[in-house]
Amino acid sequence: MRSGDLDRGRPSGLPGLPEDRTLVMGVLNVTPNSFSDGGRYLDATAAVEHGLAMLDHGADLIDVGGESTAPGRPPTPVDDEIARIRPVVAELAGAGAVVSIDTLHAATARVALEAGARIVNDVSAGVVDPEILRVAADAGAVVVLQHRRGDAQSMTTLARYDDLVRDVVAELAERRDAALAAGVSGERIVLDPGLGFAKEGTQSWELLERLEPLADLGHPLLVGTSRKRFLAQVVDPGPDRAGDATDRDAATAATTALLAARGVWAVRVHDVRPSADAVRVARALAPFAGADR
């Protein structure tokens, strides 16, 4: 266990959050077609209730998304996305939640920030809609830049790398530089390796193990392993690995414990309570890390 090797501090602009442990970001999909819970929280009232429940279960942040970005999913009209997320963001922010908006679109980010969101989480890192970086900069928001190649339709064909870790780091560094050029403060940038996005299963495992070069870019890390297909390699039954995505929650919590011990800023998860407990376990062990055995 390499305690603290990924700790690059905290992004500025989010006062009041714990600073002595990894944060837990709860996933709130306000969509009909997300890969693990599509349709369950499409109704705004149900979505807000679930968001509040995640806070009760230990979430520090709530990531609201109105468009599925999973491989193969069709794009959502921006007006539909905005209609889905606006009331949910407003209600949760009004209740005191630290809300992140998971979107590719500047217009959606702008509406969410006006409604009280404080983080813009763009899985394309500003490639799909470069104006989103300017919107975030103008609002003084924290920006999460995730590594991805292509779009939801093409990403599975683009998982070819000369050197996986080197290429991911270089490509994310380019997007970081684009965010800085758009006016985003370097102290408000968070990086995400994009596990499962334009990455085959073994590549996601390799990148999960070798996150130090990405952290060496100097920004906090957000890592999302939750219910992703690469976990199926170790937990789902059968040769087709067709188990339900919720069967991967225990494996998700295991990765949370490992990432928390290594000091990542936050993990993004669907089932909050087990990962919140995993973070507590990692924190309890932290004082003893490196002690003689």
Side-chain angles (χ1 to χ4, degrees), residues 10-25 55 58-62 96-100 118-119 142 190 265-266:
R10 301 288 189 257
S12 64
L14 298 172
L17 291 172
E19 297 186 357
D20 61 346
R21 61 168 173 80
T22 291
L23 303 183
V24 176
M25 175 182 280
L55 293 174
D60 303 291
L61 314 158
I62 304 294
V98 180
V99 178
S100 166
R118 295 160 66 185
I119 302 169
V142 170
V190 174
W265 171 65

Side-chain angles (χ1 to χ4, degrees), residues 5 47 55 71-73 105-106 118 124 155 174 191 219 236 261 278 287 289:
D5 66 339
L55 293 174
R73 299 301 192 270
H105 308 292
R118 295 160 66 185
S124 82
M155 71 172 78
E174 290 180 2
L191 302 179
H219 304 279
D236 279 352

Side-chain angles (χ1 to χ4, degrees), residues 213-229:
L214 181 58
D216 287 344
L217 289 175
H219 304 279
L221 299 185
L222 169 69
V223 182
T225 66
S226 186
R227 298 181 178 173
K228 289 189 175 179
R229 189 175 299 274

Side-chain angles (χ1 to χ4, degrees), residues 84-150:
R84 292 171 184 172
I85 63 93
R86 189 201 310 259
V88 178
V89 171
E91 286 286 336
L92 290 174
V98 180
V99 178
S100 166
I101 179 64
D102 178 3
T103 185
L104 300 164
H105 308 292
T108 305
R110 183 179 291 107
V111 168
L113 292 167
E114 291 171 351
R118 295 160 66 185
I119 302 169
V120 174
N121 180 12
D122 180 359
V123 301
S124 82
V127 171
V128 168
D129 186 352
E131 181 62 21
I132 197 172
L133 300 175
R134 181 68 63 186
V135 167
D138 290 346
V142 170
V143 178
V144 179
L145 303 174
Q146 185 200 275
H147 180 269
R148 184 181 81 164
R149 288 176 170 179

Side-chain angles (χ1 to χ4, degrees), residues 234-252:
V234 295
V235 300
D236 279 352
D240 60 355
R241 303 188 182 100
D244 187 274
T246 58
D247 293 340
R248 306 166 196 167
D249 285 337
T252 299

Side-chain angles (χ1 to χ4, degrees), residues 65-83:
E67 177 182 23
S68 176
T69 54
R73 299 301 192 270
T76 297
V78 173
D79 288 347
D80 291 351
E81 182 188 27
I82 289 173

Side-chain angles (χ1 to χ4, degrees), residues 11 17 36 53 57 84 97 100 127 157 195 205 210 215 247 250 283:
L17 291 172
S36 72
H57 294 163
R84 292 171 184 172
S100 166
V127 171
T157 68
L195 303 177
W205 284 113
R210 298 177 58 203
D247 293 340
R283 184 169 178 262

